[in-house]
Amino acid sequence: MIKITFPDGNIKEFDPGITGMEIAKSIHHGLAKRSLSAKVNGEVYDLTRPIKTDASIEFLSWEEKEGKSTFWHSSAHLMAEAIESLYPGTKFGIGPPVDQGFYYDIDPGDHQISADDLPKIEKKMMELARQKNAYHRKEISKKDAIAYFSDKGDQYKLELLEELEDGHITFYEQGGFTDLCRGPHIPNTELIKAIKLTNVSGAYWRGDEHNTQMTRVYGITFPKQKELEEWEVMMEEAQKRDHRKLGKELEIFTFDDDVGPGLPLWLPNGAFIIEKLEEFAKKTEEEAGYDRVRTPHIAKENLYITSGHLPYYKESMFPPMELDGTTYYLKAMNCPHHHKIFDALPRSYKDLPIRLAEYGTCYRYEKSGELFGLMRVRSLQMNDAHIYCTKDQFENEFKRVNELYLKYFKTFEIEKYVMRFSTHDPEKLGKKYVDNPTLWAETEEMVRNVLIETGVPYVEVPDEAAFYGPKIDIQVWSAIGREFTLATNQVDFAQPLSFDLTYTTTENDRAHPIVIHRAPLSTHERFIGFLLEHYAGKFPLWLCPKQYAILPIADRHISFAESIKTKLANRNLRGTIDDRVESIGKKIRDTELKKIPYMIILGDKEVESGQVAARKQGEGDQGSMSIEEFGNLLQTKVDNLE
RNA sequence: GCCAAUGUAGCUCAGCUGGUAGAGCAGCUGAUUUGUAAUCAGCUGGUCGGGGGUUCGAGUCCCUCCAUUGGCUCCA
């Protein structure tokens, strides 16, 4: 007998070779029905896989992330089966589950698979699912595995097999489809009740752009039709929050063909919000000891040769221009200019740390396929600063930068984030990274220490550092689940050396400072894009271009409206008067759609009582109050950055 | 840059197998002076992304370029 330990600590005995399914059934038929896979001694098992030794067990259902993964992984196999039966001769790459469903990379040979084929594949999948085919796990020798895929002529699977060790190879089979796969899988295809294939795209084999491009088919499946419907509603909701849509509706920004791709034009509302943000950042950073500087948008080639950007970063810069026999570049970053400012004066250890900030406009030649609304653009303004400090000051400075992030995140109610600590790959020294192994080791160690000390949760990602040093990026999720990098905090030991930046030490020697590049609010473009989705276009009051709208019911109420506006303007509250001859219903609707946070409705009653009828966007009537009270209400929120 | 899809009025979209553009909203004009999410009527507005081709005839078919979108790759 073997001992099986349950999550609640209970232990039961079973015959060796019992399966998860049988154990679940022995407890409760509901559990057996609900479970998709099981975690056995920490490893996710098929419910049909025999358990041979003492083990802990935890059943995984649709409610668990790993249960979903199992479900979607099996769905990928089902899709492959459908594709193979519809388009015989298709070769298969990899087909994993992802956050929202699954995909399979396929090589359909002569037959092109397009979006038009998806309904056909979906239908076939449904048909196959209803056949209630079990997923069979089979351990197989490497030799037999190679024979199978050689026979099939699937070079992709053969390539994957090459890297696998004999004795650790498993096949999964359901219906007429066999795949090389680690598993695990759900017991049976009939669990898959709702299927939606979402799109097809190209994907390089093994993620390398030098390899052939395969066709990637994305899909998502559910154990209940209703869940698919809910998911579809959720996707529609997400679309409404898309910053590109909101940016247009709220007149924040626009693009124009004649201006160029990735070059946003900020409309007055957008410009207003940016300037409010800047005002806030300047104040916050002044308090944190930063000095602001200003630098030009272009510089001579030599600056970027010195900085090392030309060898490492040239393809992301706009092409050079020739002026009077000299080559100039548009700046893609502010740091080289700032280094020259550091270098403009003799510096002593007594001056350090020096923190130079600039909301500098940069231009980056992002590849055309990478542009994405405001999130990836070619002209951008960074919330940038460079800190020059001694090695001793480094940890403290780095910590202070992290604290600044957290402060900003709190202000903008960003609760979900992850710090990614990017380190270098020693094999790529001199190619992707500045060739200075000692300093890489030293600085990575320092950053790691700060992270451990401050107790901030982080993940370490190898081979993603900047060319000049390790960095921390902060990953956030917009309200619609879009993930991207906002803040960045980078260590740079290389540029101070290449620019020969020095300060005088206590011993009257010369030493190179360490530089920290940081941009907590990322770029204006990305940050506004993020905020649009984060707040669904309902910006906090302090950022709103218009905080309130006064809606007079008839012409005769306009003069009262103006006197109120003046009073509120005296308290630095911003608003408009809708003096159109329109019904009050229409005025309210228009103001609601513009997402102006507060409305004041003015009619005879208000003129008589001297009070205002307040209405809140998205919430409705707030009742009557004095102008004073209304002003206080808004003022308090603005003061608290709400 | 690569694979695929899309591109019709300021916005959202319709336009069947080719027969020379249509709606709602917005805008303008007029009437309406209105109590918590759309008052009514009339009008204006498009070289159908650009260029080329096939055809008696192209928004519709073909080629090409541009842009956008979904991915891949990339991302200081």
Side-chain angles (χ1 to χ4, degrees), chain A residues 32-43:
Chain A
K33 211 176 156 196
R34 200 166 59 234
S35 299
L36 298 171
S37 54
K39 207 184 256 184
V40 176
N41 283 336
E43 187 189 342

Side-chain angles (χ1 to χ4, degrees), chain A residues 279-310:
Chain A
E279 197 181 287
F280 167 67
K282 283 176 181 172
K283 185 166 167 276
T284 307
E285 294 181 9
E286 265 165 31
E287 284 165 8
Y290 288 81
D291 296 314
R292 272 198 311 286
V293 294
R294 300 175 75 88
T295 63
H297 290 192
I298 64 172
K300 289 203 273 190
E301 176 178 39
N302 201 39
L303 185 72
Y304 301 109
I305 292 174
T306 307
S307 71
H309 283 100
L310 277 183

Side-chain angles (χ1 to χ4, degrees), chain A residues 149-183:
Chain A
F149 284 110
S150 303
D151 214 34
K152 230 180 148 186
D154 192 327
Q155 71 270 30
Y156 305 101
K157 293 291 179 188
L158 287 170
E159 196 180 319
L160 294 174
L161 269 169
E162 269 171 35
E163 287 157 33
L164 297 177
E165 220 177 294
D166 201 6
H168 295 271
I169 296 171
T170 50
F171 274 12
Y172 275 83
E173 188 190 325
Q174 98 276 2
F177 181 75
T178 302
D179 203 355
L180 168 69
C181 181
R182 192 184 300 122

Side-chain angles (χ1 to χ4, degrees), chain A residues 35-183:
Chain A
S35 299
L36 298 171
S37 54
K39 207 184 256 184
V40 176
N41 283 336
E43 187 189 342
V44 185
Y45 265 47
D46 311 287
L47 288 175
T48 52
R49 182 168 166 191
I51 301 167
K52 293 170 180 159
T53 58
D54 289 356
S56 64
I57 194 164
E58 183 190 341
F59 291 100
L60 301 168
S61 74
W62 178 253
E63 303 308 316
E64 277 88 22
K65 207 178 160 192
E66 284 157 310
K68 275 197 178 77
S69 293
T70 309
F71 191 86
W72 285 333
H73 192 177
S74 300
S75 302
H77 281 229
L78 181 66
M79 182 171 80
E81 184 187 357
I83 290 173
E84 187 165 65
S85 91
L86 288 170
Y87 314 104
T90 299
K91 288 158 193 168
F92 295 88
I94 54 164
V98 289
D99 275 4
Q100 292 277 313
F102 58 89
Y103 66 81
Y104 218 121
D105 283 348
I106 62 171
D107 177 352
D110 296 335
H111 180 85
Q112 277 270 8
I113 290 197
S114 74
D116 300 337
D117 298 303
L118 298 185
K120 212 180 341 172
I121 302 171
E122 274 173 21
K123 210 177 138 212
K124 190 73 186 172
M125 285 173 74
M126 260 345 277
E127 197 184 305
L128 294 168
R130 292 201 180 109
Q131 289 177 5
K132 308 186 178 184
N133 292 320
Y135 287 84
H136 295 292
R137 181 175 190 276
K138 199 159 70 179
E139 290 176 13
I140 191 163
S141 71
K142 188 163 181 170
K143 195 170 136 249
D144 290 349
I146 291 173
Y148 178 81
F149 284 110
S150 303
D151 214 34
K152 230 180 148 186
D154 192 327
Q155 71 270 30
Y156 305 101
K157 293 291 179 188
L158 287 170
E159 196 180 319
L160 294 174
L161 269 169
E162 269 171 35
E163 287 157 33
L164 297 177
E165 220 177 294
D166 201 6
H168 295 271
I169 296 171
T170 50
F171 274 12
Y172 275 83
E173 188 190 325
Q174 98 276 2
F177 181 75
T178 302
D179 203 355
L180 168 69
C181 181
R182 192 184 300 122

Side-chain angles (χ1 to χ4, degrees), chain A residues 5 29 40 55 84 95 117 129 134 261 275 287 323 335 339 342 404 411 429 449 457 468 536 574 580:
Chain A
T5 312
H29 68 277
V40 176
E84 187 165 65
D117 298 303
E275 284 172 20
E287 284 165 8
L323 292 168
C335 40
H339 298 336
F342 179 90
L404 195 62
T411 303
L429 284 171
N449 285 343
Y468 44 65
R574 312 177 283 277
R580 294 174 303 165

Side-chain angles (χ1 to χ4, degrees), chain A residues 445-465:
Chain A
E445 192 53 36
M446 285 196 287
V447 173
R448 202 174 285 115
N449 285 343
V450 175
L451 286 170
I452 292 167
E453 232 176 85
T454 49
V456 201
Y458 72 95
V459 288
E460 199 161 322
V461 274
D463 196 21
E464 286 195 12

Side-chain angles (χ1 to χ4, degrees), chain A residues 215-431:
Chain A
T215 304
R216 178 171 293 181
V217 185
Y218 281 90
I220 189 163
T221 50
F222 298 90
K224 284 181 192 150
Q225 182 64 29
K226 193 161 164 262
E227 300 213 34
L228 170 62
E229 284 159 21
E230 282 166 6
W231 177 81
E232 281 173 335
V233 169
M234 212 177 75
M235 296 312 283
E236 277 169 37
E237 289 302 310
Q239 260 184 5
K240 288 185 198 155
R241 290 180 87 128
D242 190 305
H243 76 278
R244 292 165 297 189
K245 188 172 162 65
L246 286 168
K248 196 180 273 179
E249 285 169 3
L250 302 178
E251 296 175 16
I252 306 282
F253 67 93
T254 188
F255 288 94
D256 185 283
D257 273 1
D258 288 335
V259 175
L263 304 171
L265 300 172
W266 292 101
L267 306 180
N269 287 337
F272 186 93
I273 294 166
I274 286 181
E275 284 172 20
K276 272 286 155 195
L277 267 178
E278 261 186 28
E279 197 181 287
F280 167 67
K282 283 176 181 172
K283 185 166 167 276
T284 307
E285 294 181 9
E286 265 165 31
E287 284 165 8
Y290 288 81
D291 296 314
R292 272 198 311 286
V293 294
R294 300 175 75 88
T295 63
H297 290 192
I298 64 172
K300 289 203 273 190
E301 176 178 39
N302 201 39
L303 185 72
Y304 301 109
I305 292 174
T306 307
S307 71
H309 283 100
L310 277 183
Y312 292 100
Y313 197 67
K314 186 172 181 182
E315 62 182 38
S316 294
M317 293 175 73
F318 272 78
M321 48 197 143
E322 298 291 330
L323 292 168
D324 303 328
T326 309
T327 305
Y328 284 83
Y329 280 90
L330 268 172
K331 72 174 169 184
M333 65 298 295
N334 303 303
C335 40
H337 286 88
H338 290 184
H339 298 336
K340 288 298 187 185
I341 289 178
F342 179 90
D343 206 28
L345 299 170
R347 308 288 185 180
S348 128
Y349 72 94
K350 292 178 185 169
D351 301 322
L352 300 186
I354 289 173
R355 309 183 189 95
L356 303 179
E358 176 178 27
Y359 304 126
T361 310
C362 299
Y363 299 87
R364 294 183 180 180
Y365 186 74
E366 301 287 357
K367 288 195 239 168
S368 60
E370 290 162 354
L371 300 173
F372 172 65
L374 281 181
M375 304 302 194
R376 277 297 278 282
V377 289
R378 287 181 174 164
S379 78
L380 48 108
Q381 201 170 358
M382 278 192 283
N383 158 245
D384 206 6
H386 297 93
I387 300 170
Y388 302 81
C389 63
T390 68
K391 235 180 230 179
D392 291 341
Q393 291 167 333
F394 173 79
E395 291 201 10
N396 188 40
E397 284 303 310
F398 202 82
K399 233 185 281 180
R400 283 173 52 118
V401 172
N402 279 353
E403 281 162 15
L404 195 62
Y405 290 156
L406 299 180
K407 185 172 175 178
Y408 281 135
F409 284 10
K410 197 160 168 245
T411 303
F412 296 104
E413 299 164 87
I414 300 170
E415 276 143 24
K416 191 180 170 196
Y417 58 87
V418 165
M419 293 211 178
R420 288 162 52 92
F421 171 33
S422 301
T423 55
H424 78 299
D425 177 351
E427 285 182 10
K428 295 185 185 164
L429 284 171
K431 279 174 256 159

